[in-house]
Amino acid sequence: MELKHIDISRLSVSSANIRGGKKASDLTNILPSVRARGIIVPLIVRESSSSGSYEIVAGKRRYHAALAVAEEGGTIDPLPCAVMKAGDDVAALEASLIENIARLARLIHQKCPEGLAGVA
């Protein structure tokens, strides 16, 4: 993968993104950080069929948070993106799953810091 900083106008959510559904993302826990610091963790993207544009494989919530900040009148620098090879749907789906499984594990730990110990 290659790291690039890509203008938000050149990005769109990929159909391979596991969170690519029509339901709006809950941004309440990420938006304050994006307002204060911008996007720190790179999105995973791949080149799309349209020249010069990229589709987001993982990082949909970060993308929507950046869009929300821009709509509020804030400025958004080009987003850090790890660029995958185009056309590999299996690798794209795998990257999306890995990111969301890691996010789920963090969420479970936040909601239940003592873990699953004692749960029968």
Side-chain angles (χ1 to χ4, degrees):
M1 280 192 224
E2 176 185 1
L3 184 64
K4 290 184 177 183
H5 285 79
I6 301 172
D7 189 270
I8 199 166
S9 65
R10 296 173 54 199
L11 297 169
S12 63
V13 178
S14 170
S15 59
N17 185 300
I18 206 76
R19 299 173 74 72
K22 301 290 183 199
K23 182 181 172 192
S25 299
D26 179 11
L27 305 176
T28 54
N29 66 342
I30 190 174
L31 201 49
S33 172
V34 173
R35 280 187 194 114
R37 295 177 205 79
I39 302 296
I40 297 170
V41 177
L43 287 70
I44 300 175
V45 303
R46 62 183 180 175
E47 289 185 56
S48 72
S49 54
S50 353
S51 179
S53 63
Y54 296 84
E55 50 185 28
I56 300 165
V57 172
K60 177 184 170 190
R61 292 178 68 240
R62 281 169 273 162
Y63 168 71
H64 283 288
L67 282 176
V69 169
E71 287 172 5
E72 292 170 352
T75 58
I76 292 293
D77 292 331
L79 305 184
C81 298
V83 182
M84 301 178 68
K85 291 183 181 176
D88 190 348
D89 287 340
V90 172
L93 184 59
E94 181 181 60
S96 184
L97 279 169
I98 289 169
E99 177 160 307
N100 282 285
I101 289 169
R103 182 175 168 268
L104 179 61
R106 285 190 308 271
L107 182 62
I108 289 170
H109 183 70
Q110 289 170 353
K111 299 282 183 189
C112 186
E114 66 278 354
L116 298 177
V119 176

